[in-house]
Amino acid sequence: MGSSWVVVACCCLGQLYADQSLKPQIAAPQLTTNKPTLTTIALQKLFCVFDSSLNPNKSYTIYLYAMKESASAMSSLVMDPSRKPLDSTFQQTGGGQLGPYRADSFPVPTCAAPPRPGDIADVTKVSRVLQHYLFRVEDDGTCLYDANFLDVCNPPLAPDTTHRFKYVLIDSTEGIVKGQTLWSDPIKTRRVKLPLQIDLWPEPRSGGMVVITSILSVLLFLLLAGFLAAVCSAVLKPEGPSAEAKSVPQTTQQ
């Protein structure tokens, strides 16, 4: 895994309008190599983006909203006319099929002295680095098994489905939206493969490897063919004179 990654997010966001270049991005390959999975999508958190909207005398949090790509664009709003954030849940929106739902929330990432991305090579610090820089969609599936659960739910995503995501800055003191990003580009989870389609080879094969594999296969075939020929020859070889035939001259002589 790589040991360097630079977080580039120094643009500021207006109070209510999203910068056209700001949207949730899938995690950098230096931080996670298996993305997306069948049910999980790892997103990068935004740094130094909402600073212009923060008041030191208030508290803030970041809401993550998610919806399926097939949801109507008319239902993609995440706040009402009074700027109150949308409270729709995973269950109420059919897992994002009918519109966005609040998947989770986390504190506003600080720009002051964040953990160094290079620390990801240190096994004692990797958990802190990933938690600081990444957000994992599909972190808790227990809410799916409670029919009366109406709180924030971040369950596993469905395989082979496309989702969009949005970060929203919430003024926790007043309970209103203070800023938001654009919806992310479509991000698709992986498709379930049939057993015959699963490639167990650890890495892509080069042309030379294919040639060597073919030659070894031919040699193995010839070796087996030679062994089988030897066995058949030994089995079908005519035997010597039988004991009965050998005893005939002796009887005649007597």
Side-chain angles (χ1 to χ4, degrees), residues 54-196:
L54 302 182
N55 186 324
N57 298 322
K58 293 184 178 182
S59 61
Y60 299 89
T61 189
I62 301 292
Y63 283 1
L64 174 70
Y65 285 91
M67 69 175 182
K68 289 186 177 180
E69 172 67 9
S70 56
S72 171
M74 298 299 295
S75 61
S76 62
L77 298 178
V78 296
M79 65 179 182
D80 62 19
S82 62
R83 293 164 54 188
K84 295 290 183 182
L86 188 69
D87 288 330
S88 298
T89 64
F90 180 88
Q91 289 87 342
Q92 292 172 339
T93 61
Q97 184 71 36
L98 304 177
Y101 66 92
R102 183 153 62 101
D104 212 337
S105 61
F106 54 88
V108 179
T110 177
C111 291
R116 297 186 302 109
D119 290 341
I120 198 170
D122 188 340
V123 295
T124 63
K125 300 178 181 180
V126 61
S127 178
R128 178 171 176 263
V129 173
L130 294 179
Q131 184 177 9
H132 189 83
Y133 286 108
L134 300 183
F135 179 84
R136 191 177 73 171
V137 184
E138 179 273 319
D139 198 42
D140 183 14
T142 57
C143 55
L144 293 180
Y145 306 104
D146 186 353
N148 299 319
F149 188 91
L150 296 177
D151 202 352
V152 176
C153 185
N154 183 21
L157 303 173
D160 196 26
T161 56
T162 305
H163 297 77
R164 290 179 181 268
F165 305 95
K166 176 191 283 281
Y167 288 131
V168 178
L169 176 67
I170 303 297
D171 182 337
S172 302
T173 306
E174 300 182 24
I176 60 174
V177 175
K178 297 293 290 183
Q180 58 182 296
T181 67
L182 295 175
W183 284 100
S184 70
D185 295 329
I187 304 176
K188 190 174 185 179
T189 52
R190 290 187 178 182
R191 177 183 302 178
V192 178
K193 289 186 176 181
L194 298 176
L196 294 179

